[in-house]
Amino acid sequence: MSSAPRGGKHRRRARIAVPAAAATLLLGGAGAFLMAPANAASLPTDIGVTGHGSVGKSQLTARVHGALTAPAANTPAVLRPAASTGASSGTTTSPKPQPSSSGTAGTQIIGGTTTSISTAPWMVQLWYYDDKGTTDTSDDVGFFCGGTVVSPTKILTAAHCVSGYDWHANGSIVYGTDQLPTTDSSTNTTDLHGGTVTGVWRQWNAPSFKITSSGTAVNDVAVLTLPNPISAKPLPITTSDDTTSYKAGTQAQIYGWGRTSSTSQDISQTLRKATVPVNGDSTCSSYYGGDFVAGAMTCVGASASGSDSGTVATCNGDSGGPLVVGGRVVGVVSWGVQDCVSQGSYSVFTKLSTYVGAAEPRIDDTDLSGDGRADMFAIASNGQGYEYDSRGKSFGSRVSLGDWSGVNLVRQADLDRDGYADLLVRTTDGSLYWQHYNLSTGNTEVSALGSGWNGMKVMLVPGDVTGDGYQDLLAVDSSGNIWLYPGTGHGNFGSRVKLGYGWNMYGANVFGKGDFTGDGKLDLLAQDSSGNLWLYKGTGNKSAPLASRVKIGYGFHYTAYVMNGDMTGNGHSDLIARDSSGNLWLYEGTGDVSHPLASRVKIGYGYNGYRLS
């Protein structure tokens, strides 16, 4: 068998978008509970998942210490460019990321008040330090940004805090405290003031991020992945169709440890917050001209007074922090004017609703190998299980995972949101199990979830259907009813809810994981007996999570589909299909609702006889 692409011509599949009658969707009433747990089965304990590894606390704390003491002249500016119109002239200065020790700083972000971490448990501190591998401290790079916990292993921040820096090698995240760290020069120690420090496993920023010729930031959003989950309570991000949060006059909250005065470079020792109005796009366009990009940015705050008095604004050191409306993150601190208080100026945030489709796949991107690209799990006809790690548009050599002969269905998921891939496994007797990696022991554990599941023709874990941050199970029974089993975040599921009926027209060919249309909401695909391919677009509505179906292709007479998500790592869910000859085909996701799948590419052969997931 080969998992590498092979040559040969193939017929391009037509892509059409014609609404048609759908398998009926409805609101369900009271559902049935999961059946009583079955006895534990003898399942393989190797599911291809190993620990991500983490840097020791002393080294992580040393990075914080280095960032605090790095020379200010070599500290990259947390972007606060001068506006193109109306702002004072001069170049942007680089604030030294050292909290004030004089006690003279005000109690504001600029114009805000102090707050405790209990009011904003999702706020974290991002510390970066790179000594360039030399003993010469004059070339050291150290800086500070804010961030928001949006899932147990994901931090949302600004791209200008991430792009061009190696956060895995040089970054530390401090959480669980409203105080910034302080250093004692006499003992060369750093006090985290009750906070906990962790490292960074992976980083992503919007590929389209750039600094313009006038010094402003565009497409300024990033996500950091932690090596292990943290206890801080996440703050959910907004949805792609959110317009209410951005209406002029909406009251929003801002948080940060940034500068408290336009006349001092010191950032605040204590977390601060303020309530500010959201403005219409025209407000910032009038002041900043073409530097303000409507749709990509959000205009926030009352017009600055020209001094600290009468101004409420974010400032240097607040970059990457959240704009919060209605208990959701709707923006990310991006840029503003030099010294933050120029008369008539406003704070500019990244408009998060525009970037949900790009950010959400980075927030929910667990996989077997831990690199953020979806891998394939396969069981051969002799019962041997194999892991095929994604190489982007091909799979690497298979890795044996032992004997899985007693299993007839496997689905990849992260049911406890710990950042490690789990397996939902159904055995031949109809019992359902959750296999997951235990961070404490470094071993795989198996938990029995119930019995009687052989009556389900389709079972899949497409992602978070209900919008509560946990992954949910969808199942189609032999009568064609489709059921939602809401995830609890602990590896099991709540009471089922009936979503619709008539789904037996698809047989076992209902599939999908993640977002195919680029709006950050999970979608489903289905193949009918005539070979037509249908898209059920996600709505983000818990009570009616799927829209009416739309036909997006024909000629799909495949024998199996892989339900693994984003194989290529481009941020869009991909479709992998096996034909009757055992060839494996990749339809790369485009994120375009009118044309969600690119033309197919052959990526392997000899896959007949395998159960794929």
Side-chain angles (χ1 to χ4, degrees), residues 38-63:
N39 293 327
S42 177
L43 294 173
T45 57
D46 184 2
I47 60 173
V49 176
T50 57
H52 294 160
S54 58
V55 179
K57 179 180 177 181
S58 60
Q59 184 175 345
L60 293 170
T61 304
R63 294 176 184 175

Side-chain angles (χ1 to χ4, degrees), residues 13-20 511 516-517 523-527 531-537 548-556 575 587 592-598:
R13 304 290 177 174
R15 297 281 169 257
I16 58 178
V18 181
F511 43 89
F516 288 96
T517 58
D523 309 305
L524 289 188
L525 299 177
Q527 173 199 308
N532 298 308
L533 187 65
W534 301 91
L535 166 69
Y536 288 86
K537 191 174 182 294
S548 298
R549 69 179 187 173
V550 175
K551 188 175 179 180
I552 61 171
Y554 60 86
F556 280 76
L575 176 61
Y587 291 84
D592 183 349
V593 65
S594 64
H595 190 86
L597 299 173

